Short mmCIF file of all heavy atoms in Angstrom, two decimals:
data_model
loop_
_atom_site.label_atom_id
_atom_site.label_comp_id
_atom_site.label_asym_id
_atom_site.label_seq_id
_atom_site.Cartn_x
_atom_site.Cartn_y
_atom_site.Cartn_z
N MET R 150 16.87 12.08 4.90
CA MET R 150 17.56 10.93 4.33
C MET R 150 16.71 10.22 3.27
O MET R 150 17.22 9.96 2.17
CB MET R 150 17.96 9.96 5.44
CG MET R 150 18.83 8.83 4.96
SD MET R 150 19.69 8.14 6.38
CE MET R 150 19.97 6.49 5.85
N PRO R 151 15.43 9.92 3.54
CA PRO R 151 14.62 9.34 2.46
C PRO R 151 14.55 10.23 1.22
O PRO R 151 14.56 9.72 0.10
CB PRO R 151 13.23 9.21 3.11
CG PRO R 151 13.50 9.07 4.56
CD PRO R 151 14.71 9.93 4.82
N ALA R 154 17.91 10.02 -0.61
CA ALA R 154 18.06 8.68 -1.16
C ALA R 154 17.15 8.49 -2.36
O ALA R 154 17.51 7.86 -3.36
CB ALA R 154 17.76 7.63 -0.09
N LEU R 158 19.55 8.43 -5.42
CA LEU R 158 19.88 7.00 -5.54
C LEU R 158 18.68 6.18 -5.99
O LEU R 158 18.81 4.98 -6.22
CB LEU R 158 20.39 6.46 -4.19
CG LEU R 158 21.67 7.13 -3.65
CD1 LEU R 158 21.93 6.64 -2.24
CD2 LEU R 158 22.85 6.80 -4.56
N VAL R 160 16.12 5.27 -4.22
CA VAL R 160 15.63 4.34 -3.20
C VAL R 160 14.14 4.60 -2.96
O VAL R 160 13.74 5.74 -2.72
CB VAL R 160 16.41 4.49 -1.88
CG1 VAL R 160 15.87 3.54 -0.83
CG2 VAL R 160 17.88 4.24 -2.11
N THR R 165 11.43 3.70 2.98
CA THR R 165 12.30 4.45 3.88
C THR R 165 11.50 5.35 4.83
O THR R 165 11.78 5.39 6.03
CB THR R 165 13.29 5.31 3.09
OG1 THR R 165 12.58 6.09 2.13
CG2 THR R 165 14.30 4.44 2.36
N THR I 279 17.28 -1.55 8.34
CA THR I 279 16.73 -1.77 7.01
C THR I 279 16.94 -0.54 6.13
O THR I 279 17.37 -0.62 4.98
CB THR I 279 15.22 -2.09 7.10
OG1 THR I 279 15.05 -3.21 7.96
CG2 THR I 279 14.64 -2.41 5.74
N LEU I 280 16.63 0.62 6.72
CA LEU I 280 16.76 1.88 5.98
C LEU I 280 18.21 2.12 5.57
O LEU I 280 18.51 2.39 4.39
CB LEU I 280 16.26 3.03 6.87
CG LEU I 280 16.58 4.45 6.43
CD1 LEU I 280 15.81 4.78 5.17
CD2 LEU I 280 16.23 5.43 7.53
N VAL I 281 19.13 2.00 6.54
CA VAL I 281 20.53 2.29 6.25
C VAL I 281 21.08 1.33 5.21
O VAL I 281 21.75 1.74 4.25
CB VAL I 281 21.36 2.23 7.56
CG1 VAL I 281 22.85 2.31 7.24
CG2 VAL I 281 20.96 3.37 8.49
N VAL I 282 20.75 0.04 5.38
CA VAL I 282 21.27 -0.95 4.43
C VAL I 282 20.75 -0.67 3.02
O VAL I 282 21.50 -0.73 2.04
CB VAL I 282 20.88 -2.37 4.90
CG1 VAL I 282 21.13 -3.38 3.79
CG2 VAL I 282 21.68 -2.75 6.13
N LEU I 283 19.46 -0.32 2.90
CA LEU I 283 18.89 -0.02 1.58
C LEU I 283 19.62 1.15 0.93
O LEU I 283 19.96 1.12 -0.26
CB LEU I 283 17.41 0.31 1.69
CG LEU I 283 16.45 -0.86 1.82
CD1 LEU I 283 15.02 -0.36 1.92
CD2 LEU I 283 16.60 -1.80 0.63
N VAL I 284 19.88 2.19 1.73
CA VAL I 284 20.52 3.39 1.18
C VAL I 284 21.96 3.09 0.79
O VAL I 284 22.41 3.44 -0.31
CB VAL I 284 20.43 4.56 2.19
CG1 VAL I 284 21.25 5.74 1.71
CG2 VAL I 284 18.99 4.97 2.39
N VAL I 285 22.68 2.42 1.69
CA VAL I 285 24.09 2.13 1.40
C VAL I 285 24.22 1.23 0.17
O VAL I 285 25.05 1.47 -0.71
CB VAL I 285 24.77 1.48 2.63
CG1 VAL I 285 26.14 0.95 2.27
CG2 VAL I 285 24.87 2.49 3.77
N LEU I 286 23.34 0.22 0.10
CA LEU I 286 23.38 -0.68 -1.06
C LEU I 286 23.10 0.08 -2.35
O LEU I 286 23.78 -0.11 -3.36
CB LEU I 286 22.36 -1.79 -0.90
CG LEU I 286 22.86 -3.10 -0.28
CD1 LEU I 286 21.74 -4.11 -0.32
CD2 LEU I 286 24.06 -3.62 -1.04
N ALA I 287 22.10 0.96 -2.30
CA ALA I 287 21.76 1.73 -3.50
C ALA I 287 22.93 2.61 -3.92
O ALA I 287 23.21 2.79 -5.10
CB ALA I 287 20.52 2.58 -3.24
N TRP I 288 23.63 3.13 -2.91
CA TRP I 288 24.78 3.99 -3.20
C TRP I 288 25.89 3.17 -3.85
O TRP I 288 26.48 3.56 -4.85
CB TRP I 288 25.24 4.63 -1.89
CG TRP I 288 26.44 5.49 -2.03
CD1 TRP I 288 26.55 6.60 -2.80
CD2 TRP I 288 27.69 5.31 -1.38
NE1 TRP I 288 27.81 7.12 -2.68
CE2 TRP I 288 28.54 6.36 -1.80
CE3 TRP I 288 28.20 4.37 -0.47
CZ2 TRP I 288 29.84 6.49 -1.35
CZ3 TRP I 288 29.49 4.51 -0.03
CH2 TRP I 288 30.31 5.55 -0.46
N GLN I 289 26.13 2.00 -3.29
CA GLN I 289 27.13 1.10 -3.87
C GLN I 289 26.77 0.74 -5.31
O GLN I 289 27.60 0.78 -6.21
CB GLN I 289 27.23 -0.18 -3.03
CG GLN I 289 27.98 0.00 -1.72
CD GLN I 289 29.46 0.24 -1.95
OE1 GLN I 289 30.04 -0.33 -2.84
NE2 GLN I 289 30.04 1.13 -1.16
#
Side-chain angles (χ1 to χ4, degrees):
Chain R
M150 187 160 153
L158 299 172
V160 179
T165 52
Chain I
T279 304
L280 167 68
V281 171
V282 167
L283 280 180
V284 172
V285 170
L286 266 185
W288 178 60
Q289 284 291 323

